[in-house]
Amino acid sequence: MINGTEKCMEITAPAHGDSAEVQRQRIDADIVCVGFGPATAGFLTTLSKQLVNQDGTPAVESAVMPGAPPQVLCYERADDIGFGVSGVVTRARGLRASFPDFDPKNIPMAAPVTEEKVVYLLDPIGASRRSRTLRAADACIRALRGLLPFQDGAVELPWSPPFLHKTGGLVLSMGQFMQWVGAQVQSTGAVQIWPGTPVAEALIEDHRVTGVRLLDQGVDKQGKPGDGFMPGMDIHAALTVVGDGPVGPIGQQLDAQFGLPEGHHMRDWAVGMKFVMDLPADTALQPGTVLHTFGFPEPEIFGFLYVHPDHVASLGIFVPSWFDTPVRTAYRYLQHWMQHPYLWRHLKGSKLRSWGAKTLGESGRRGEPHLVGDGFARIGEGSGSTNVLTGSGVDEAWTTGAQLAESVLELLKAKRPFTRQNLEETYLKRRRASWVEVEARVAERSRDGFQKGVLRGMVGMALAGLTHGRFTLNGEPVPPYKRIPTIEEYYRGRIPEREIQQLRQECAIKGVSLHGALMQRCGWPAIPYDGQLLVSHQDALLLGGKVQAPPGYADHVVFLYPELCERCGTKICIELCSGQAIAPGEGGVPDFDREKCVHCGACYWNCAQPIPGNPERMNIAFRAGTGGLHSAEN
Ligand SMILES: Cc1cc2nc3c(=O)[nH]c(=O)nc-3n(C[C@H](O)[C@H](O)[C@H](O)COP(=O)(O)OP(=O)(O)OC[C@H]3O[C@@H](n4cnc5c(N)ncnc54)[C@H](O)[C@@H]3O)c2cc1C
Ligand code: SF4
Ligand code: SF4
């Protein structure tokens, strides 16, 4: 019988069913990197500046190409550099340390932060699922509106806690910034970045990581070789740098292989979905403005709006794993959020430029895996660097990458191998002594209060932030599936079961998710599509995300135990899917359409069923895959 861990390993292994006849090409490098996000960008920026002396001679020597500088390769899954999603407002401490002469004018869409506001949005529709306490609070606010900074159904908080401030920081398009960094790094000639090249797995021999295997091409959806089969190459390297983000398959494989440190778990997540838009030319929003919202469309959903130069804004919402509903649909909620009168007065008449979604690993320090081992090191969000208290991940990810680069240079110069012990004595030591660690410790338990409600969560967060982590409110994070009631349970008292059944059948016949019908039934108005900004989900995929998937690759989203899907009462994977790539399928097992997938990874942690033998692992595998978003504005 297959136990949970073995199944976990099996799914992170390549799907081609390797056999003796498969001849794989081999490349020998010194360092191989997985993923080119902010973490690896920080690593390569720091490393590439110090590999070669000013006179062109190697500052340190390659082990695989004697006489040359170390051979450094980086493989990125997305079809080009910067095709991911992020906010971003950042204090940019790490970025500025790497680029002391940094001038935002050199990067498209970059602006210094000029104004920050935290805004509480009341419910203008009456459909939001507010607790009695929150409804009472809303009634008080409305009654006292003349005395409060109340405007268009919202209250701008007169004071916001300092830990949220990004004073002196930057508003960026991460896509544009990453393209700029990619060009800088490659112009040194010291490293190569290969986009459109997913890494399928880490090569592991006797508990030592010896490199990576790239994804097979010319296979069918199940990974079986067909015409034009090209087995993925094996890249052997003394050091594998894993910076594949919060749901990266190589991080998953290492977690399955080496486990997590005692007491650590990854149970807190969110999916962030965003629009980039052209605001009306006469907008009152000034570049560098930063708004954070809470309260609407649901109390658990936080929103953000950042203003770039030239009347462009990035905005979106986060739907967290502790949002206890089986309809965690980011797209529909994002459209209701944008139409809140407080925001709509600025957004009306705007035009969609870009759209996308991505998972945020919210466990932070508590989700930290083993950061180093023989032959590997982990950096960035997949290494637990994201700070949920300050709402900051880019600067932290970048800084962990820069710290690893300094450590690698130290080891190369001393001709010490990349063993676990040597990496602990260099990278781990730097990381533990840095602001990333100090602030991560403060944030570690800051959001536990949200496990027992929003108001409690906000109080707990404020307490943790204001007391530097000494106090917060308790709440034990549980795996997301434990928080998901069935649709019948959730709507009990509001929609009769018979009606839910009927709506379910109608939606299954149309091949669409159920949440639209359920939300409408509970008072959420239909979205008045205008073809410009309020567009259908399909139009957002095509116009905003420009989503594509090249042929000849295996499906990267896989339903591990179909029998669990057949019995599943929520089918939350269909309801939440950011790209409508998961749809009702035959016999209760959903269908996956690779061509619509934006690689947000939200299905991986949202699935409602744990697999047999592993209560921390859900029934969806999220493997390495190609394609996805084709926009570098996010
Ligand atoms: C909507 C949204 C808004 C956010 N806003 C902010 C903000 O305002 N400020 C802030 O500081 N942070 C923000 N964040 C968080 C921030 O984006 C992350 O913390 C940061 O991007 C983490 O960087 P990383 O390099 O660790 O991982 P990632 O950015 O996830 O990069 C990982 C890279 O690895 C690649 N990859 C994955 N698997 C493979 C594979 N098998 N082979 C090859 N490549 C692979 C991915 O394509 C990706 O390019 C936001 C996040 C979201 C989703
Ligand atoms: S993948 Fe998970 S959420 Fe989706 S139907 Fe299967 S068990 Fe249910
Ligand atoms: S199928 Fe793709 S788009 Fe849908 S939730 Fe999963 S990763 Fe995101």
Side-chain angles (χ1 to χ4, degrees), residues 559 564-565 568 571-573 590 607-609 619-620:
F559 308 101
L564 290 180
C565 296
C568 174
K571 302 274 191 286
I572 194 165
C573 56
C607 167
Q609 304 285 332
N619 192 28
I620 285 191

Side-chain angles (χ1 to χ4, degrees), residues 370-433:
H370 293 291
L371 292 178
V372 295
D374 289 333
F376 77 89
R378 298 183 64 173
I379 54 176
E381 194 159 301
S383 76
S385 62
T386 292
N387 189 311
V388 286
L389 179 63
T390 57
S392 176
V394 167
D395 217 10
E396 288 73 5
W398 180 282
T399 303
T400 61
Q403 288 164 352
L404 178 63
E406 295 291 355
S407 312
V408 163
L409 286 159
E410 184 184 330
L411 292 174
L412 284 172
K413 282 175 189 160
K415 298 194 187 316
R416 292 168 68 194
F418 297 117
T419 59
R420 178 184 174 149
Q421 188 182 341
N422 288 344
L423 288 163
E424 278 177 353
E425 286 170 10
T426 52
Y427 170 50
L428 209 60
K429 195 170 155 203
R430 277 185 173 81
R431 185 157 165 172
R432 294 286 181 247

